[in-house]
Amino acid sequence: MTPAKAEGAAPTPGYLIVKVSEGKPAAKAGVRPGWRVAEVAGSSCEGLDLEGVQTLLKGAELPVQVTFESVPNGADFCTACQQV
């Protein structure tokens, strides 16, 4: 999973998935670009920035359980502009 890190743009709250590498665990689990990490190992990500979510991910015991918010209404996510 690759998070959004757009330089020069307004910061994106939390950890927004912009890329899922084929064959990796996230891809095998069906994670899609545009989804946002909502919870890591039972800890809410509400109000956390990218670094805060990454800290939770790095500190979680494996296998880590991650809950996502999907793209609203099944809309498409533009990986180039990082918007729905």
Side-chain angles (χ1 to χ4, degrees):
M1 297 183 316
T2 303
K5 295 182 187 174
E7 292 183 26
T12 302
Y15 192 115
L16 178 69
I17 308 301
V18 294
K19 180 181 176 187
V20 180
S21 298
E22 196 171 313
K24 298 290 183 178
K28 291 177 182 178
V31 175
R32 313 303 283 163
W35 289 11
R36 185 176 312 279
V37 176
E39 189 175 281
V40 175
S43 296
S44 174
C45 296
E46 187 173 339
L48 295 179
D49 61 6
L50 174 62
E51 289 77 22
V53 177
Q54 287 177 325
T55 298
L56 287 177
L57 288 166
K58 290 176 185 177
E61 290 187 33
L62 296 177
V64 62
Q65 183 170 351
V66 179
T67 303
F68 296 91
E69 294 174 359
S70 61
V71 176
N73 301 322
D76 289 326
F77 180 76
C78 174
T79 55
C81 61
Q82 299 182 3
Q83 295 181 4
V84 176

